[in-house]
Amino acid sequence: MSQEPVRTLYINGEWRSANGSGSFAVTDPSTTEIIGYASDGGRAETEEAIIAAQAALGPWSSTTAYERAAVLSKAHALLRERHEELAQLLSQEQGKPIRAARTEVTYAGDFLSWFAEEAKRIGGVTIPSARADQRFITMRQPVGVVAAITPWNYPISMITRKLAPALAAGCTAVLKPAAQTPLLAAATIRLFEDAGVPAGVLNMITSQRAAEVGDTLVESPIVRKLTFTGSTAIGKMLAAKAATTLKRVSVELGGHAPFIVMPDADPVRAAKGAALVKFLNTGQACISPNRIYVHRSLYETFLATLEQRVGALKVGKGTTEGVGIGPLIDNRATEKMESQVGDAREKGARVVIGGRRIAVDGLDGENFYAPTVLADVTPEMLISSEETFGPIAAVAPFDDEDEVIRLANDTEYGLAAYLYTNDLSTAIRVTERLKFGMVGVNDINPTSAAAPFGGVKASGLGREGGYEGIDEYLDTKLVGIAV
Ligand code: ADP
């Protein structure tokens, strides 16, 4: 425990220690060195935060959309001012390359600006009645107190993607960020605080007791909405618990994206795209391609380009300029890479490049795994069904369209899918048959604050961003008026 009093709980407008001053260490995943401490909040502090959010709800929901938009715009302006310092902290605390960290901070800002605008577009409709003496109108009102639980892999944009629409809608919130990235979460909350978000409207409980804080949030009858991004197992469990108080729920969970290269596609362009999207964030993304299916006629060309691209990736500490791939979040993640590669090898996969832990920059390499390409991957291998969340590209050949669509859809997940083809009919036909929430066609980044992000099946419920993003925080009230 640190000597300094640690105050990363933000409750009713004040930065506080946990009761008893409990704290936990935050480490740099590159070096495993301690870079700071965060307060370890529990049930009592979470209950206080919920009460604060409840008390703030009336006044905040009574502000005009224009006032709320102004606060969000101010938060966006502050984010731009602090862009580099946020990116540096993100890269250090989470490990992603500084260039990717800068991109993520910009993306986080996009949600502030998008939902600042969307706040002004919360309107209802008039509906014709069958009765001559009746009129219908709808009002859209904030759902109330929101519980937001966020992951470590996109530690700033997942916060703004939830808090910006919640605030825009007139809701108040309690945030529990991931225990791996509480320092950036605190810096993010400071943006809102400095932008003038009133006391109690936003609250944060940093904690390493995720289950205790999570249960307090989902069991509370005051909390009317749960928004969660994380693993499917935890998301399902929280959604089930939230059902006992019938909360609104949106959960963005795991993925197992297929990446399909049709016979008419350019295999070199597709391989370059695969190398970029697969190794983004060291593969620690829910939209990361987990299965790459390449038509047999293009297979060897694709693999050769992929190998060359992956071989050129510079691995190292995220904060070092020019690094393209950073560490995994922890040793458990690195062990998962070893288990998936070991299993694939045993079952006949070919290791084209990588396939082992590595030491870089004189660091002990505990969390570093070489960017890896596996060829001849089959459905029986663990990597074909289990989410990898790491730097391993698993490639397999296919022969015809029906076969590849069947393989692609053969997963419990349904978040992102990628398709390479130069034929418009193929693009539309295959896209329609893919059971996923998002499809990139010759495109490796089908995401934007302006576009709805989300999945089907075990990948979750609801959409974030886009026109739909704010709906998750609004209830529709029907008013029938006799005239
Ligand atoms: P990951 O495997 O990406 O860490 P998790 O689902 O474990 O995904 O974590 C996502 C978020 O959920 C984090 O904020 C984490 O602290 C939180 N979390 C983990 N376990 C629980 C739980 N039992 N109850 C509530 N929140 C949890």
Side-chain angles (χ1 to χ4, degrees):
M1 200 181 292
S2 76
Q3 303 306 309
E4 312 254 308
V6 179
R7 292 199 184 87
T8 62
L9 305 185
Y10 186 66
I11 303 173
N12 207 19
E14 282 177 15
W15 290 98
R16 283 195 19 198
S17 305
N19 299 345
S21 297
S23 67
F24 60 97
V26 183
T27 54
D28 173 339
S30 294
T31 59
T32 66
E33 278 165 11
I34 294 175
I35 56 167
Y37 292 85
S39 308
D40 192 18
R43 181 171 288 274
E45 298 88 331
T46 308
E47 281 169 354
E48 275 187 66
I50 294 170
I51 298 294
Q54 184 184 33
L57 182 63
W60 180 249
S61 61
S62 305
T63 57
T64 67
Y66 285 79
E67 289 168 302
R68 298 194 299 275
V71 170
L72 290 172
S73 296
K74 180 81 202 292
H76 186 217
L78 292 171
L79 174 139
R80 284 200 304 240
E81 274 173 30
R82 300 173 195 175
H83 193 280
E84 184 60 18
E85 107 199 33
L86 291 165
Q88 291 289 345
L89 177 57
L90 166 46
S91 179
Q92 189 182 27
E93 190 180 40
Q94 194 270 347
K96 73 178 64 185
I98 184 64
R99 215 175 52 190
R102 290 182 184 122
T103 306
E104 188 191 337
V105 174
T106 301
Y107 183 47
D110 292 345
F111 289 106
L112 297 172
S113 104
W114 175 261
F115 285 110
E117 295 301 320
E118 285 298 282
K120 303 172 200 165
R121 296 193 247 283
I122 300 168
V125 294
T126 62
I127 301 163
S129 169
R131 267 173 42 202
D133 69 339
Q134 187 183 45
R135 305 291 180 269
F136 287 126
I137 62 169
T138 63
M139 296 177 178
R140 291 164 81 222
Q141 298 185 313
V143 298
V145 175
V146 171
I149 300 180
T150 54
W152 50 263
N153 64 333
Y154 284 87
I156 183 165
S157 53
M158 295 304 98
I159 292 178
T160 58
R161 185 153 90 177
K162 296 180 186 317
L163 297 186
L167 262 55
C171 296
T172 58
V174 180
L175 166 70
K176 194 211 78 68
Q180 292 88 341
T181 52
L183 304 181
L184 185 65
T188 309
I189 293 295
R190 254 177 244 120
L191 297 173
F192 290 102
E193 181 187 30
D194 295 347
V197 170
V201 170
L202 273 188
N203 306 273
M204 176 172 72
I205 305 295
T206 54
S207 179
Q208 59 180 353
R209 289 175 279 161
E212 183 179 328
V213 175
D215 285 352
T216 310
L217 290 169
V218 287
E219 286 162 10
S220 167
I222 297 169
V223 174
R224 295 314 310 147
K225 155 91 192 175
L226 167 70
T227 172
F228 170 86
T229 297
S231 60
T232 294
I234 303 288
K236 278 184 182 170
M237 189 194 72
L238 290 175
K241 288 184 181 172
T244 61
T245 46
L246 276 184
K247 294 186 202 327
R248 295 275 300 271
V249 169
S250 44
V251 287
E252 199 267 280
L253 309 174
H256 207 277
F259 185 106
I260 304 169
V261 185
M262 297 302 284
D264 65 88
D266 173 350
V268 172
R269 182 161 182 270
K272 287 178 181 172
L276 280 171
V277 64
K278 174 65 233 183
F279 297 94
L280 200 67
N281 212 23
T282 316
Q284 301 171 119
C286 46
I287 60 168
S288 189
N290 225 107
R291 294 162 292 145
I292 301 176
Y293 300 114
V294 183
H295 191 264
R296 201 175 296 277
S297 61
L298 311 176
Y299 192 59
E300 292 305 331
T301 313
F302 180 93
L303 279 173
T305 308
L306 186 61
E307 178 184 1
Q308 185 234 329
R309 288 272 153 164
V310 171
L313 283 172
K314 185 160 177 248
V315 186
K317 189 168 161 49
T319 45
T320 308
E321 292 286 346
V323 159
I325 188 157
L328 286 156
I329 192 70
D330 56 26
N331 192 41
R332 206 162 47 104
T334 323
E335 281 169 3
K336 190 177 189 188
M337 301 308 110
E338 290 180 324
S339 125
Q340 288 198 353
V341 170
D343 167 84
R345 262 197 179 119
E346 263 171 40
K347 292 176 182 159
R350 179 157 53 99
V351 178
V352 176
I353 187 168
R356 61 195 162 80
R357 282 177 193 253
I358 46 169
V360 289
D361 291 349
L363 304 168
D364 72 358
E366 184 177 341
N367 298 337
F368 286 101
Y369 196 83
T372 298
V373 176
L374 297 178
D376 308 341
V377 169
T378 61
E380 297 71 40
M381 297 172 187
L382 208 49
I383 198 164
S384 297
S385 55
E386 187 183 81
E387 191 176 20
T388 301
F389 236 62
I392 305 173
V395 191
F398 74 91
D399 293 296
D400 74 73
E401 187 174 308
D402 283 344
E403 175 201 6
V404 79
I405 289 170
R406 186 179 49 72
L407 285 166
N409 287 334
D410 185 20
T411 169
E412 63 171 315
Y413 297 109
L415 195 58
Y418 303 86
L419 173 67
Y420 274 71
T421 174
N422 287 320
D423 183 286
L424 180 61
S425 307
T426 305
I428 292 175
R429 200 172 56 241
V430 175
T431 298
E432 284 177 354
R433 294 177 66 193
L434 287 170
K435 296 193 177 74
F436 293 84
M438 297 172 281
V439 181
V441 179
N442 302 318
D443 184 33
I444 54 165
N445 187 15
T447 66
S448 156
F453 186 109
V456 298
K457 295 159 67 182
S459 289
L461 298 171
R463 292 294 178 271
E464 296 191 292
Y467 301 124
E468 290 93 332
I470 203 160
D471 292 345
E472 306 284 348
Y473 301 89
L474 293 166
D475 284 326
T476 298
K477 179 179 284 174
L478 173 73
V479 191
I481 308 161
V483 293

